[in-house]
Amino acid sequence: MRVPAILLIFCLLPASAWAQLKGAEPEKQVHWASAAFFGTGWYRVDDNRQTFIFRIPWRQEVRSAGWSDDGERKLGIEIIYPVSLGVHSLDELPDFIEFDNYGTITFTPGVAVEIPVTDRWDLRPYAHYGVGYEDTSGEWAQIYYGGINSRYLLNQSDGLDWNLLNAVAYAGYKPEYKNRGQYGSALAGLEAKQRLEGVEFAGAPAWINWHITYDYMFDNLNFHVSEEEVVTIRDQWEFGVALSRGDSKIKIWFLEFEQLGLSYKFSSNGKYRALSFNLRSRFED
């Protein structure tokens, strides 16, 4: 997830639905196309906006990052073909709006380059561009997002690693309303991996992975949940925990995962919350 997942909730309404929201200000709403940025999970704002996103992030590793025997830096290259399916619903709304559940689909291929700056510090710039479709209004959108992730190894001991995480991200879509289709964020957090002594997971030593991150959005997000009430959200906290097999992949049928777990997300004002699957390091999202 690159731009904070809070943005996902604000993309629930297509243009045809907002036309029914009397008194709502279009320039303060966020487009449904932003759903392309987020991972598989359930998201909710206040008591009347919720959605479920199923994201299939097909990946092709062209080359893995690292260092050669003679100390030469090797860049990692990964091509990503994410498809996101969204099922959105509105509930507990006033009588002045009537709108059924609806779906969205987005395809935003991209590339990520992993750069080992030092033995402890890695950078991961990425960029995506694609399209999305909303089935009720028949609306199409061009979608783009990118940024750079940073991971710095703070400490490494037998069976325990600590990393400092940082990231900046930028995303948008077209057509947009009065240049309001662009969003940015900054992230800071910690990530840890600890081996569980004497415990095995799928035939290999088990590890417990967890992270805590904080996202700050450069623009205040205002969302009209009724004619009179506006919910404002500025940030996102995220706590995640997962099981892994160390450096070995977890295989389920033809799929491979780095880890299996869940992440809980919420805003400081308590108006937003989400539960999503945690399948990769936050650095590699």
Side-chain angles (χ1 to χ4, degrees):
M1 201 156 68
R2 294 157 174 87
V3 174
I6 302 167
L7 296 180
L8 174 61
I9 300 303
F10 296 89
C11 42
L12 295 187
L13 294 181
S16 56
W18 282 118
Q20 301 177 61
L21 245 178
K22 300 176 181 178
E25 300 174 60
E27 66 273 15
K28 294 183 178 180
Q29 315 307 330
V30 177
H31 198 274
W32 58 265
S34 303
F37 313 150
F38 314 114
T40 299
W42 171 85
Y43 304 85
R44 189 174 182 90
V45 160
D46 204 52
D47 291 323
N48 60 8
R49 300 290 190 276
Q50 63 178 330
T51 191
F52 180 80
I53 292 296
F54 181 63
R55 189 170 187 266
I56 309 169
W58 283 299
R59 299 172 184 269
Q60 176 187 357
E61 187 177 67
V62 178
R63 186 171 62 192
S64 59
W67 299 88
S68 65
D69 294 337
D70 55 1
E72 290 293 323
R73 178 183 295 109
K74 296 192 300 181
L75 301 183
I77 301 175
E78 188 176 50
I79 303 175
I80 311 161
Y81 311 93
V83 176
S84 294
L85 307 175
V87 178
H88 315 286
S89 68
L90 315 174
D91 50 62
E92 301 179 25
L93 288 176
D95 293 336
F96 62 79
I97 179 170
E98 295 181 1
F99 203 77
D100 295 328
N101 295 355
Y102 67 95
T104 60
I105 181 170
T106 64
F107 176 57
T108 50
V111 62
V113 179
E114 188 166 331
I115 306 169
V117 181
T118 69
D119 289 341
R120 289 179 171 266
W121 186 23
D122 295 300
L123 294 176
R124 185 179 170 89
Y126 60 90
H128 288 255
Y129 180 83
V131 296
Y133 176 75
E134 190 272 302
D135 67 349
T136 300
S137 66
E139 182 182 6
W140 288 85
Q142 300 176 61
I143 306 163
Y144 56 90
Y145 57 95
I148 183 167
N149 297 341
S150 170
R151 178 173 62 191
Y152 184 81
L153 179 62
L154 294 173
N155 184 61
Q156 186 175 43
S157 59
D158 186 23
L160 179 62
D161 297 347
W162 287 88
N163 293 290
L164 174 67
L165 300 179
N166 293 100
V168 291
Y170 180 79
Y173 64 87
K174 289 182 180 298
E176 59 183 341
Y177 184 89
K178 293 185 177 180
N179 297 320
R180 294 294 295 171
Q182 304 172 25
Y183 312 100
S185 70
L187 173 147
L190 291 172
E191 179 182 65
K193 297 173 59 178
Q194 183 173 7
R195 187 171 62 243
L196 299 177
E197 296 294 339
V199 180
E200 288 194 353
F201 178 37
W207 289 69
I208 185 77
N209 303 344
W210 64 266
H211 68 268
I212 175 173
T213 59
Y214 176 77
D215 275 293
Y216 178 81
M217 287 174 288
F218 301 139
D219 291 319
N220 219 23
L221 293 183
N222 301 308
F223 189 60
H224 292 255
V225 297
S226 72
E227 286 186 285
E228 296 81 20
E229 183 182 0
V230 177
V231 170
T232 298
I233 296 176
R234 188 79 192 213
D235 62 5
Q236 172 188 271
W237 291 91
E238 178 176 336
F239 297 92
V241 63
L243 275 175
S244 75
R245 304 172 68 234
D247 294 329
S248 301
K249 300 286 188 180
I250 300 169
K251 295 184 179 180
I252 301 177
W253 295 312
F254 60 91
L255 301 175
E256 290 187 344
F257 307 100
E258 287 190 358
Q259 58 190 29
L260 292 177
L262 294 173
S263 292
Y264 178 67
K265 308 167 186 179
F266 62 93
S267 60
S268 293
N269 63 4
K271 294 293 186 180
Y272 156 78
R273 58 193 184 278
L275 187 66
S276 65
F277 288 100
N278 181 1
L279 304 176
R280 288 171 68 91
S281 164
R282 189 65 178 81
F283 170 73
E284 298 171 340
D285 274 357

PDB file of all heavy atoms in Angstrom, residues 204-219:
ATOM      1  N   ALA A 204       9.504 -25.406   8.216  1.00  0.00           N
ATOM      2  CA  ALA A 204      10.686 -24.557   8.363  1.00  0.00           C
ATOM      3  C   ALA A 204      10.581 -23.784   9.680  1.00  0.00           C
ATOM      4  O   ALA A 204       9.486 -23.655  10.242  1.00  0.00           O
ATOM      5  CB  ALA A 204      10.810 -23.596   7.181  1.00  0.00           C
ATOM      6  N   PRO A 205      11.707 -23.273  10.209  1.00  0.00           N
ATOM      7  CA  PRO A 205      11.646 -22.471  11.435  1.00  0.00           C
ATOM      8  C   PRO A 205      10.671 -21.302  11.281  1.00  0.00           C
ATOM      9  O   PRO A 205      10.673 -20.613  10.261  1.00  0.00           O
ATOM     10  CB  PRO A 205      13.085 -21.973  11.612  1.00  0.00           C
ATOM     11  CG  PRO A 205      13.918 -23.006  10.919  1.00  0.00           C
ATOM     12  CD  PRO A 205      13.098 -23.462   9.746  1.00  0.00           C
ATOM     13  N   ALA A 206       9.836 -21.093  12.271  1.00  0.00           N
ATOM     14  CA  ALA A 206       8.817 -20.037  12.214  1.00  0.00           C
ATOM     15  C   ALA A 206       9.369 -18.712  12.730  1.00  0.00           C
ATOM     16  O   ALA A 206      10.146 -18.682  13.692  1.00  0.00           O
ATOM     17  CB  ALA A 206       7.597 -20.448  13.027  1.00  0.00           C
ATOM     18  N   TRP A 207       8.953 -17.651  12.078  1.00  0.00           N
ATOM     19  CA  TRP A 207       9.308 -16.287  12.477  1.00  0.00           C
ATOM     20  C   TRP A 207       8.029 -15.507  12.695  1.00  0.00           C
ATOM     21  O   TRP A 207       7.034 -15.714  12.002  1.00  0.00           O
ATOM     22  CB  TRP A 207      10.137 -15.597  11.400  1.00  0.00           C
ATOM     23  CG  TRP A 207      11.540 -16.128  11.263  1.00  0.00           C
ATOM     24  CD1 TRP A 207      11.908 -17.353  10.790  1.00  0.00           C
ATOM     25  CD2 TRP A 207      12.749 -15.429  11.583  1.00  0.00           C
ATOM     26  NE1 TRP A 207      13.263 -17.483  10.792  1.00  0.00           N
ATOM     27  CE2 TRP A 207      13.813 -16.316  11.266  1.00  0.00           C
ATOM     28  CE3 TRP A 207      13.037 -14.164  12.082  1.00  0.00           C
ATOM     29  CZ2 TRP A 207      15.151 -15.960  11.454  1.00  0.00           C
ATOM     30  CZ3 TRP A 207      14.366 -13.812  12.258  1.00  0.00           C
ATOM     31  CH2 TRP A 207      15.408 -14.696  11.959  1.00  0.00           C
ATOM     32  N   ILE A 208       8.058 -14.581  13.643  1.00  0.00           N
ATOM     33  CA  ILE A 208       6.958 -13.646  13.842  1.00  0.00           C
ATOM     34  C   ILE A 208       7.429 -12.281  13.342  1.00  0.00           C
ATOM     35  O   ILE A 208       8.491 -11.782  13.740  1.00  0.00           O
ATOM     36  CB  ILE A 208       6.514 -13.574  15.326  1.00  0.00           C
ATOM     37  CG1 ILE A 208       5.293 -12.679  15.486  1.00  0.00           C
ATOM     38  CG2 ILE A 208       7.645 -13.145  16.242  1.00  0.00           C
ATOM     39  CD1 ILE A 208       4.015 -13.322  15.070  1.00  0.00           C
ATOM     40  N   ASN A 209       6.695 -11.706  12.410  1.00  0.00           N
ATOM     41  CA  ASN A 209       7.031 -10.404  11.831  1.00  0.00           C
ATOM     42  C   ASN A 209       5.971  -9.385  12.248  1.00  0.00           C
ATOM     43  O   ASN A 209       4.772  -9.680  12.209  1.00  0.00           O
ATOM     44  CB  ASN A 209       7.067 -10.476  10.305  1.00  0.00           C
ATOM     45  CG  ASN A 209       8.032 -11.521   9.785  1.00  0.00           C
ATOM     46  OD1 ASN A 209       8.890 -11.998  10.514  1.00  0.00           O
ATOM     47  ND2 ASN A 209       7.891 -11.876   8.519  1.00  0.00           N
ATOM     48  N   TRP A 210       6.390  -8.204  12.642  1.00  0.00           N
ATOM     49  CA  TRP A 210       5.411  -7.176  12.988  1.00  0.00           C
ATOM     50  C   TRP A 210       5.941  -5.802  12.559  1.00  0.00           C
ATOM     51  O   TRP A 210       7.136  -5.614  12.359  1.00  0.00           O
ATOM     52  CB  TRP A 210       5.084  -7.189  14.482  1.00  0.00           C
ATOM     53  CG  TRP A 210       6.218  -6.868  15.400  1.00  0.00           C
ATOM     54  CD1 TRP A 210       7.062  -7.748  16.023  1.00  0.00           C
ATOM     55  CD2 TRP A 210       6.645  -5.552  15.816  1.00  0.00           C
ATOM     56  NE1 TRP A 210       7.979  -7.082  16.769  1.00  0.00           N
ATOM     57  CE2 TRP A 210       7.751  -5.734  16.676  1.00  0.00           C
ATOM     58  CE3 TRP A 210       6.207  -4.268  15.532  1.00  0.00           C
ATOM     59  CZ2 TRP A 210       8.419  -4.662  17.259  1.00  0.00           C
ATOM     60  CZ3 TRP A 210       6.867  -3.181  16.113  1.00  0.00           C
ATOM     61  CH2 TRP A 210       7.951  -3.396  16.969  1.00  0.00           C
ATOM     62  N   HIS A 211       5.012  -4.869  12.417  1.00  0.00           N
ATOM     63  CA  HIS A 211       5.400  -3.501  12.087  1.00  0.00           C
ATOM     64  C   HIS A 211       4.402  -2.519  12.681  1.00  0.00           C
ATOM     65  O   HIS A 211       3.244  -2.854  12.931  1.00  0.00           O
ATOM     66  CB  HIS A 211       5.499  -3.298  10.569  1.00  0.00           C
ATOM     67  CG  HIS A 211       4.184  -3.373   9.860  1.00  0.00           C
ATOM     68  ND1 HIS A 211       3.684  -4.548   9.328  1.00  0.00           N
ATOM     69  CD2 HIS A 211       3.243  -2.424   9.585  1.00  0.00           C
ATOM     70  CE1 HIS A 211       2.517  -4.325   8.766  1.00  0.00           C
ATOM     71  NE2 HIS A 211       2.220  -3.035   8.903  1.00  0.00           N
ATOM     72  N   ILE A 212       4.867  -1.312  12.897  1.00  0.00           N
ATOM     73  CA  ILE A 212       4.012  -0.187  13.288  1.00  0.00           C
ATOM     74  C   ILE A 212       4.449   1.014  12.455  1.00  0.00           C
ATOM     75  O   ILE A 212       5.639   1.325  12.387  1.00  0.00           O
ATOM     76  CB  ILE A 212       4.093   0.120  14.795  1.00  0.00           C
ATOM     77  CG1 ILE A 212       3.285   1.389  15.118  1.00  0.00           C
ATOM     78  CG2 ILE A 212       5.533   0.241  15.265  1.00  0.00           C
ATOM     79  CD1 ILE A 212       3.172   1.679  16.604  1.00  0.00           C
ATOM     80  N   THR A 213       3.488   1.639  11.755  1.00  0.00           N
ATOM     81  CA  THR A 213       3.812   2.772  10.901  1.00  0.00           C
ATOM     82  C   THR A 213       2.805   3.904  11.100  1.00  0.00           C
ATOM     83  O   THR A 213       1.683   3.678  11.553  1.00  0.00           O
ATOM     84  CB  THR A 213       3.813   2.369   9.409  1.00  0.00           C
ATOM     85  OG1 THR A 213       2.530   1.864   9.049  1.00  0.00           O
ATOM     86  CG2 THR A 213       4.878   1.308   9.132  1.00  0.00           C
ATOM     87  N   TYR A 214       3.240   5.092  10.723  1.00  0.00           N
ATOM     88  CA  TYR A 214       2.370   6.276  10.775  1.00  0.00           C
ATOM     89  C   TYR A 214       2.459   7.001   9.437  1.00  0.00           C
ATOM     90  O   TYR A 214       3.556   7.314   8.968  1.00  0.00           O
ATOM     91  CB  TYR A 214       2.815   7.211  11.898  1.00  0.00           C
ATOM     92  CG  TYR A 214       2.025   8.501  11.954  1.00  0.00           C
ATOM     93  CD1 TYR A 214       0.743   8.523  12.499  1.00  0.00           C
ATOM     94  CD2 TYR A 214       2.560   9.690  11.462  1.00  0.00           C
ATOM     95  CE1 TYR A 214       0.010   9.703  12.552  1.00  0.00           C
ATOM     96  CE2 TYR A 214       1.845  10.879  11.512  1.00  0.00           C
ATOM     97  CZ  TYR A 214       0.566  10.872  12.050  1.00  0.00           C
ATOM     98  OH  TYR A 214      -0.159  12.046  12.105  1.00  0.00           O
ATOM     99  N   ASP A 215       1.306   7.231   8.807  1.00  0.00           N
ATOM    100  CA  ASP A 215       1.207   7.964   7.549  1.00  0.00           C
ATOM    101  C   ASP A 215       0.616   9.343   7.812  1.00  0.00           C
ATOM    102  O   ASP A 215      -0.416   9.470   8.478  1.00  0.00           O
ATOM    103  CB  ASP A 215       0.274   7.238   6.576  1.00  0.00           C
ATOM    104  CG  ASP A 215       0.991   6.148   5.795  1.00  0.00           C
ATOM    105  OD1 ASP A 215       1.861   6.504   4.991  1.00  0.00           O
ATOM    106  OD2 ASP A 215       0.670   4.973   6.004  1.00  0.00           O
ATOM    107  N   TYR A 216       1.256  10.356   7.259  1.00  0.00           N
ATOM    108  CA  TYR A 216       0.725  11.718   7.317  1.00  0.00           C
ATOM    109  C   TYR A 216       0.381  12.171   5.913  1.00  0.00           C
ATOM    110  O   TYR A 216       1.206  12.070   4.998  1.00  0.00           O
ATOM    111  CB  TYR A 216       1.747  12.669   7.930  1.00  0.00           C
ATOM    112  CG  TYR A 216       1.278  14.107   7.978  1.00  0.00           C
ATOM    113  CD1 TYR A 216       0.425  14.532   8.994  1.00  0.00           C
ATOM    114  CD2 TYR A 216       1.679  15.026   7.006  1.00  0.00           C
ATOM    115  CE1 TYR A 216      -0.014  15.846   9.044  1.00  0.00           C
ATOM    116  CE2 TYR A 216       1.246  16.340   7.050  1.00  0.00           C
ATOM    117  CZ  TYR A 216       0.394  16.741   8.068  1.00  0.00           C
ATOM    118  OH  TYR A 216      -0.047  18.044   8.110  1.00  0.00           O
ATOM    119  N   MET A 217      -0.845  12.649   5.719  1.00  0.00           N
ATOM    120  CA  MET A 217      -1.282  13.119   4.399  1.00  0.00           C
ATOM    121  C   MET A 217      -1.066  14.615   4.269  1.00  0.00           C
ATOM    122  O   MET A 217      -1.368  15.374   5.193  1.00  0.00           O
ATOM    123  CB  MET A 217      -2.751  12.770   4.190  1.00  0.00           C
ATOM    124  CG  MET A 217      -2.964  11.303   3.946  1.00  0.00           C
ATOM    125  SD  MET A 217      -4.707  10.888   3.888  1.00  0.00           S
ATOM    126  CE  MET A 217      -5.121  11.051   5.615  1.00  0.00           C
ATOM    127  N   PHE A 218      -0.541  15.022   3.123  1.00  0.00           N
ATOM    128  CA  PHE A 218      -0.244  16.431   2.909  1.00  0.00           C
ATOM    129  C   PHE A 218      -1.508  17.262   2.769  1.00  0.00           C
ATOM    130  O   PHE A 218      -1.499  18.465   3.039  1.00  0.00           O
ATOM    131  CB  PHE A 218       0.632  16.602   1.672  1.00  0.00           C
ATOM    132  CG  PHE A 218       1.940  15.867   1.772  1.00  0.00           C
ATOM    133  CD1 PHE A 218       2.447  15.186   0.681  1.00  0.00           C
ATOM    134  CD2 PHE A 218       2.661  15.842   2.954  1.00  0.00           C
ATOM    135  CE1 PHE A 218       3.656  14.505   0.761  1.00  0.00           C
ATOM    136  CE2 PHE A 218       3.861  15.171   3.056  1.00  0.00           C
ATOM    137  CZ  PHE A 218       4.366  14.498   1.948  1.00  0.00           C
ATOM    138  N   ASP A 219      -2.610  16.641   2.324  1.00  0.00           N
ATOM    139  CA  ASP A 219      -3.885  17.344   2.169  1.00  0.00           C
ATOM    140  C   ASP A 219      -4.900  16.769   3.147  1.00  0.00           C
ATOM    141  O   ASP A 219      -5.043  15.558   3.264  1.00  0.00           O
ATOM    142  CB  ASP A 219      -4.432  17.198   0.747  1.00  0.00           C
ATOM    143  CG  ASP A 219      -3.606  17.955  -0.263  1.00  0.00           C
ATOM    144  OD1 ASP A 219      -3.209  19.082   0.061  1.00  0.00           O
ATOM    145  OD2 ASP A 219      -3.350  17.419  -1.345  1.00  0.00           O
TER     146      ASP A 219
END
